[in-house]
């Protein structure tokens, strides 16, 4: 990933839900930590020739109806400047994220450095998030997998990050120490993203709730901080 995988400030709404928060503190923590730890061989050797495969989610008629309601609530919250309170199953989450990425690529607003693919899974008590980034300067991809328990309340991370895997290899001791330092900052609500337009702003600010509830992910974004929907 290195400096080549740092995310842009503007992400699709699906990716912000996934990556800005599981994004599972996940992306923000990992991306910023790995920028600092770019010299670690685990990262340097983690670039792969191909992106991980993300199967196209096939939704039932009932799930398609549910997806339509999610989109409608998203639009209503964004334009009405109210909280966006949404519940995703993994299938709906994956379909939503894939659709947002597709729309951005179709209308030319997708930027290199944004997630090329995202997948959320539940495996027992573990929440698993897979995502891929293209290297900016050279051919190749960084394929990550995060395992843990996503839980954010009022901009603070209350969950756990058990494993960070790149190209099939778990983070070594030094990389893990760097990641843990950012997890600790997130627990205190002191996380910063130096790559953003507002480097002193907590990138989790505005996330009222991100928590697994049974077989679903419950997500509440504060009014005024709801990401702009891809309406095309």
């Amino acid at each position: 990933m290195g400096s080549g995988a740092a995310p842009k400030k503007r992400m699709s709404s699906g990716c912000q839900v996934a990556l800005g928060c599981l994004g599972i503190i996940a992306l923000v923590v990992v991306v910023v930590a790995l920028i600092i730890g770019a010299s670690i061989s685990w990262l340097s050797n983690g670039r792969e020739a191909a992106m991980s495969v993300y199967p196209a989610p096939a939704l039932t008629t009932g799930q398609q109806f549910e997806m339509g309601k999610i989109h409608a609530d998203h639009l209503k919250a964004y334009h009405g400047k109210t909280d966006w309170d949404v519940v995703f199953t993994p299938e709906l989450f994956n379909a939503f994220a894939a659709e947002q990425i597709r729309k951005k690529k179709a209308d030319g607003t997708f930027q290199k450095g944004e997630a090329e693919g995202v997948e959320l899974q539940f495996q027992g008590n573990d929440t698993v998030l897979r995502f891929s980034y293209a290297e900016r300067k050279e051919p190749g991809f960084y394929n990550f997998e995060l395992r843990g328990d996503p839980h954010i309340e009022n901009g603070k991370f209350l969950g756990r990050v058990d494993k960070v895997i790149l190209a099939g290899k778990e983070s070594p001791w030094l990389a893990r120490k760097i990641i843990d330092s950012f997890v600790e900052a997130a627990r205190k609500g002191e996380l910063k993203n130096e790559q953003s337009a507002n480097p002193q702003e907590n990138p989790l600010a505005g996330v009222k709730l991100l928590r697994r509830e049974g077989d679903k992910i419950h997500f509440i974004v504060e009014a005024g901080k709801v990401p702009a929907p891809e309406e095309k």
Side-chain angles (χ1 to χ4, degrees):
M1 220 146 136
S3 60
K8 299 286 186 181
K9 180 65 176 175
R10 181 177 181 271
M11 292 180 178
S12 72
S13 53
C15 292
Q16 283 180 316
V17 172
L19 307 179
C21 301
L22 282 174
I24 326 190
I25 195 169
L27 187 61
V28 175
V29 171
V30 174
V31 169
V32 178
L34 294 179
I35 289 170
I36 292 177
S39 62
I40 300 171
S41 61
W42 173 67
L43 178 65
S44 302
N45 297 327
R47 188 171 71 247
E48 299 182 85
M51 185 176 81
S52 293
V53 176
Y54 297 90
L59 300 182
T60 65
T61 301
Q63 288 173 325
Q64 290 173 6
F65 177 82
E66 233 180 309
M67 181 67 76
K69 186 177 184 303
I70 288 173
H71 281 296
D73 289 346
H74 184 193
L75 285 166
K76 183 178 179 181
Y78 178 74
H79 292 296
K81 298 190 183 304
T82 58
D83 288 354
W84 184 30
D85 190 335
V86 60
V87 176
F88 287 101
T89 62
E91 293 81 10
L92 288 175
F93 178 88
N94 294 336
F96 187 74
E99 183 178 6
Q100 298 303 305
I101 294 171
R102 179 189 61 76
K103 286 180 178 179
K104 288 175 68 68
K105 288 189 173 183
D107 65 21
T109 60
F110 185 87
Q111 301 180 53
K112 202 166 186 179
E114 295 185 17
E116 300 274 349
V118 181
E119 183 180 49
L120 174 69
Q121 298 178 357
F122 294 150
Q123 295 180 5
N125 292 326
D126 286 343
T127 297
V128 181
L129 180 68
R130 298 170 60 236
F131 52 93
S132 298
Y133 281 89
E135 167 62 75
R136 287 184 187 172
K137 297 180 180 179
E138 300 178 40
F141 295 86
Y142 294 95
N143 299 309
F144 280 90
E145 179 180 303
L146 301 176
R147 290 177 173 266
D149 174 34
H151 185 182
I152 299 170
E153 289 188 27
N154 299 316
K156 293 184 179 181
F157 181 66
L158 306 179
R160 66 179 198 275
V161 178
D162 295 334
K163 291 184 179 181
V164 181
I165 300 168
L166 172 63
K169 296 181 179 179
E170 191 172 347
S171 55
W173 180 84
L174 181 56
R176 183 68 214 204
K177 293 296 287 185
I178 294 170
I179 292 168
D180 286 346
S181 70
F182 282 88
V183 172
E184 184 59 28
R187 292 191 191 284
K188 298 176 181 178
E190 299 173 352
L191 190 66
K192 302 292 187 291
N193 184 356
E194 300 294 335
Q195 305 300 310
S196 73
N198 299 304
Q200 296 307 307
E201 181 183 16
N202 176 5
L204 300 180
V207 180
K208 283 189 171 182
L209 180 69
L210 185 287
R211 180 174 63 201
R212 178 176 174 178
E213 297 178 353
D215 61 352
K216 297 180 179 179
I217 287 285
H218 189 185
F219 185 53
I220 304 176
V221 185
E222 181 183 336
K225 293 186 179 292
V226 176
E230 295 292 332
E231 300 185 58
K232 294 185 179 181

